[in-house]
Amino acid sequence: YLGQAALARFGADQVAKGYLVVGELPQSGAIPAMRTEGQIAGFLASCPDFPADHLIRIDTKNTLQYSFQQMRNALGRIPPGVPLMLLAINDQSVTGMLRAVQQAGRQGDALAVGNGADELETLAVEEALIASVAYFPERYGNYLIPLGLMSLAGHPLPPAVLVEHLMVTRANICQYYPDFPCQERAP
């Protein structure tokens, strides 16, 4: 999603000059690392010629404040005026990264996609935050209970169960989060 949006906004030539900054959480282990690597793979699927040396990984420590500090440090290595494409392990981290971009006066250069879709207010108002992946962990029981019942009944379990994830944007936020105050935002 980020790659497609960056190409549409900046064009392929500018994207190739830009930087992909990935807010990771390496201390969390393999599963979060797979999520982050999936984000990168998705971006590169849309931008296969993106220069490898323009990918910057930062440890976000899973917090807004630490992400802000690390992004502020990373901005010192990125030339002014080039596209900044941001991904992070969660919405708090990407929000911190965006705050650093704003403080540097570079918000017009940035596009970001978060993870978790749990910073709905930020998603609704932050122009550079174009989407966030929603996991809906409150629905995991819909997958786990049938597996438990299958196991108790002695049925073989599938080798994997895929959980549906959705891309939440400003345009569809109220569709997936009906309790969000959407009516107050209508023009």
Side-chain angles (χ1 to χ4, degrees), residues 98-180:
L98 282 170
R99 296 298 173 258
V101 168
Q102 291 168 342
Q103 186 184 59
R106 297 185 63 181
Q107 60 269 22
D109 299 333
L111 288 177
V113 172
N115 255 314
D118 53 6
E119 294 289 333
L120 300 180
E121 182 68 29
T122 303
L123 182 59
V125 300
E126 179 61 58
E127 297 241 353
L129 183 57
I130 58 172
S132 184
V133 179
Y135 303 106
F136 303 108
E138 67 274 13
R139 299 179 189 171
Y140 285 3
N142 296 339
Y143 300 91
L144 296 174
I145 291 172
L147 288 172
L149 293 173
M150 287 173 63
S151 179
L152 289 171
H155 296 291
L157 298 179
V161 175
L162 301 178
V163 176
E164 183 180 11
H165 298 142
L166 299 167
M167 192 66 70
V168 178
T169 67
R170 210 169 283 102
N172 68 13
I173 194 170
C174 296
Q175 176 183 345
Y176 298 115
Y177 295 93
D179 293 336
F180 188 72

Side-chain angles (χ1 to χ4, degrees), residues 61-79:
K61 301 272 191 262
N62 214 27
T63 70
L64 188 146
Q65 184 60 33
Y66 199 78
S67 300
F68 172 85
Q69 293 167 348
Q70 294 303 307
M71 185 66 199
R72 194 172 56 194
N73 294 340
L75 284 169
R77 304 185 320 223
I78 301 173

